[in-house]
Amino acid sequence: MRRVSKYLGVSALFCAAVTGSGFAHAGGDKVLFPENFEAGVHYTTVHRGGIREDMYVSRDTIDAVKNGEPMPSGTVITLVDYREGKIFRYVVMEKRTGWGAEYPPAQRNGEWEFQAFNADKSVNRDEDLARCFACHKSQASNDYVFTLDAMKSAE
Ligand code: HEC
């Protein structure tokens, strides 16, 4: 028994070293690549230098936001990040009832989880998801979303 637990301890250390952070990836792994995101509403685009960010969410979520309701459980927001016209990566946030309960209050973003995907739609294991939580936390009064106003004024 002792040898087994020793082995597990070593492998946990190894994972932390490989991902470059001690932050658990288990939460982010709840977020699957949103294969049909383009069937939703392309509600805004942000341009910054050579970067273009196209953002998508479902019609149900747009309707809820316009009605002043919270974004429903199951909401998936997809940001397609283009660099010099080519897809560079996708960043995704997803909200589901009951998610997020394991995080300390200082870190938790309501019921949201975050994930970063490479251009080939594989998970980017080098991403430090704690950064997503830290920055989006500033939008707590807007359900942790920066582009809530764009959703409200979407077609
Ligand atoms: C340093 C701050 C910062 C960090 C870190 C960050 N974001 Fe964002 N995120 C933004 C801003 C600002 C926007 C609004 C679009 C813009 O201005 O580029 C945004 C927009 C988004 C959106 C569209 C919905 C919204 O909030 O407007 C998603 C989805 C998203 N980010 C996911 C992620 C994920 C996943 C990560 C981590 C891999 C991440 N973000 C890390 C600042 C950040």
Side-chain angles (χ1 to χ4, degrees):
M1 273 319 269
R2 184 159 284 173
R3 287 187 68 180
V4 170
S5 58
K6 198 171 172 190
Y7 170 76
L8 288 175
V10 168
S11 85
L13 272 177
F14 178 70
C15 288
V18 165
T19 59
S21 105
F23 189 76
H25 277 256
D29 285 341
K30 291 176 183 163
V31 180
L32 304 182
F33 186 82
E35 291 292 348
N36 61 349
F37 71 88
E38 282 171 304
V41 179
H42 174 190
Y43 69 91
T44 193
T45 295
V46 170
H47 293 274
R48 220 182 302 111
I51 302 175
R52 181 177 115 220
E53 299 174 340
D54 287 352
M55 292 173 237
Y56 295 80
V57 77
S58 72
R59 174 61 62 191
D60 284 354
T61 295
I62 294 282
D63 290 345
V65 166
K66 282 176 181 284
N67 289 334
E69 294 160 11
M71 290 187 223
S73 177
T75 291
V76 177
I77 311 175
T78 306
L79 184 160
V80 191
D81 178 341
Y82 294 87
R83 308 275 166 110
E84 309 301 341
K86 280 199 202 137
I87 293 181
F88 174 69
R89 65 171 185 165
Y90 305 83
V91 289
V92 178
M93 52 196 288
E94 180 169 348
K95 178 188 190 184
R96 287 198 185 266
T97 302
W99 282 12
E102 69 271 37
Y103 299 110
Q107 181 175 43
R108 185 174 182 177
N109 277 210
E111 294 176 313
W112 293 98
E113 290 285 1
F114 296 82
Q115 189 55 284
F117 298 90
N118 300 305
D120 68 1
K121 304 181 181 178
S122 62
V123 171
N124 179 2
R125 294 278 163 208
D126 294 331
E127 186 62 65
D128 181 2
L129 299 176
R131 290 181 56 246
C132 323
F133 282 79
C135 196
H136 279 255
K137 184 106 178 147
S138 65
Q139 301 305 302
S141 60
N142 288 328
D143 204 359
Y144 304 94
V145 168
F146 284 92
T147 53
L148 192 67
D149 284 346
M151 288 186 194
K152 286 181 186 161
S153 56
E155 296 279 302

